[in-house]
Amino acid sequence: MFCVFDLSRRLMTKLALVLLACIACGSAPATTVPASVPAPVVSGPMLTGAAHWADSAGRLIDKATFAGDLQGLRSAGLLLDQALAAYPNDALLLQYRGYELYREAGLLGTNPATAKAELPLVGQVAATGRIRLLESLAAEPLPETHALLAMTMGRMIGLDQIYSPTLGPLIPKEMNAAVAMAPNNPRIWLLRGIQSFYTRSEYGGGLPVAETQLNKAIELFATDNPTPPAPSWGKAEAYVWLGQVLQKQNRIDEARAAYNNALSVQHDYPWVTYSLLPSIERR
């Protein structure tokens, strides 16, 4: 597991200079990164340039997400900001930055003691994530970008209804664009399932719809094998959300099985181990 690390101002400046120097000479920055910046774990050919940084940041985001590690997410965001200083129009780097902010907004406000005070910050994080995702789409349309944008706008509306008239009509447009672009992408169906989990049935959502979409995601994850640095997140999470759908329908044995399947994919998953499974056993 990657360690949580703090980037001082001096280190961030040094990293930016290293990246810019590598752009100028056409070399990959992988071999000149300061020691405190985690190197990516890459299977297959060694990645260079923007792909190297996207893959490294993506892995950091996933580790931090599973651990519920807010500082780890922010560290990944700092890494992406430095990479974007060198590769400002890279669609995947911008997507991963928006993805990190989507995860960060989801993690903020989960502590009941501080949730109310953090609401303005959640809104700021979500709004910034939307900007990065729009920039990613402008550079190159990618299916996960469309779906993450839909989810981010939904969160913004949930935080402040003032966004509803302008962003509300755009949400189905973006999600439909994601499906049209990649109908067999499991991350798209995962996000659709989460969206339906929170959407009332009269608006096209509801638990049965979410269950169908999440089961489709799980089916597609069985053969999902993206080539780095393409996004590969979501497999364990699909079981987690399916478990929550089943639990809300009082299908307890099936929910327990779904949570255990999540742990079989991601053994270190505190949300499942310390929250979701115990919530079943307390019933």
Side-chain angles (χ1 to χ4, degrees):
M1 177 177 293
F2 291 106
C3 296
V4 177
F5 58 93
D6 294 317
L7 290 174
S8 66
R9 183 170 299 183
R10 180 181 297 177
L11 176 57
M12 289 189 292
T13 301
K14 182 178 179 182
L15 180 54
L17 291 173
V18 167
L19 285 164
L20 291 169
C22 291
I23 288 284
C25 68
S27 63
T31 59
T32 53
V33 185
S36 58
V37 178
V41 179
V42 181
S43 59
M46 179 61 69
L47 299 174
T48 61
H52 168 93
W53 296 110
D55 187 66
S56 183
R59 293 170 187 274
L60 285 172
I61 294 167
D62 289 346
K63 293 290 185 181
T65 298
F66 287 128
D69 179 5
L70 182 60
Q71 187 54 49
L73 285 172
R74 289 171 173 170
S75 294
L78 286 172
L79 182 67
L80 283 162
D81 285 343
Q82 298 309 305
L84 284 164
Y87 305 93
N89 296 313
D90 186 84
L92 192 55
L93 285 173
L94 287 164
Q95 184 200 101
Y96 274 124
R97 189 62 171 109
Y99 173 56
E100 182 278 318
L101 291 163
Y102 166 76
R103 293 297 193 187
E104 187 176 329
L107 192 56
L108 281 166
T110 56
N111 184 345
T114 59
K116 187 174 181 180
E118 288 179 346
L119 283 179
L121 178 58
V122 177
Q124 294 170 15
V125 169
T128 304
R130 176 174 176 256
I131 292 170
R132 296 290 88 79
L133 292 167
L134 287 170
E135 290 171 346
S136 177
L137 287 177
E140 179 186 353
L142 300 170
E144 285 94 348
T145 312
H146 282 293
L148 286 166
L149 181 58
M151 298 295 288
T152 297
M153 292 190 295
R155 177 167 283 140
M156 292 173 66
I157 292 172
L159 291 166
D160 192 338
Q161 287 296 311
I162 195 173
Y163 294 113
S164 185
T166 54
L167 299 186
L170 300 178
I171 292 175
K173 177 183 175 182
E174 294 298 336
M175 193 62 80
N176 290 339
V179 175
M181 185 176 291
N184 294 318
N185 185 318
R187 280 159 293 283
I188 305 305
W189 289 97
L190 165 61
L191 294 177
R192 288 193 74 188
I194 297 172
Q195 184 182 65
S196 296
F197 180 86
Y198 288 111
T199 303
R200 293 188 298 190
S201 58
E202 57 264 38
Y203 297 112
L207 297 179
V209 175
E211 182 179 353
T212 298
Q213 292 167 338
L214 291 166
N215 275 319
K216 184 173 181 65
I218 288 167
E219 178 185 351
L220 292 169
F221 271 121
T223 55
D224 184 57
N225 188 29
T227 301
S232 60
W233 49 267
K235 185 173 183 179
E237 193 178 2
Y239 285 112
V240 166
W241 285 97
L242 178 62
Q244 291 180 92
V245 168
L246 296 168
Q247 186 172 350
K248 279 190 171 290
Q249 297 177 88
N250 292 315
R251 293 158 61 184
I252 302 305
D253 289 341
E254 293 174 82
R256 183 184 293 107
Y259 294 146
N260 284 323
N261 283 334
L263 290 176
S264 71
V265 175
Q266 178 65 36
H267 301 292
D268 184 15
Y269 208 153
W271 186 24
V272 178
T273 304
Y274 300 112
S275 180
L276 295 175
L277 279 173
S279 74
I280 286 181
E281 303 310 326
R282 287 194 298 265
R283 295 176 65 90

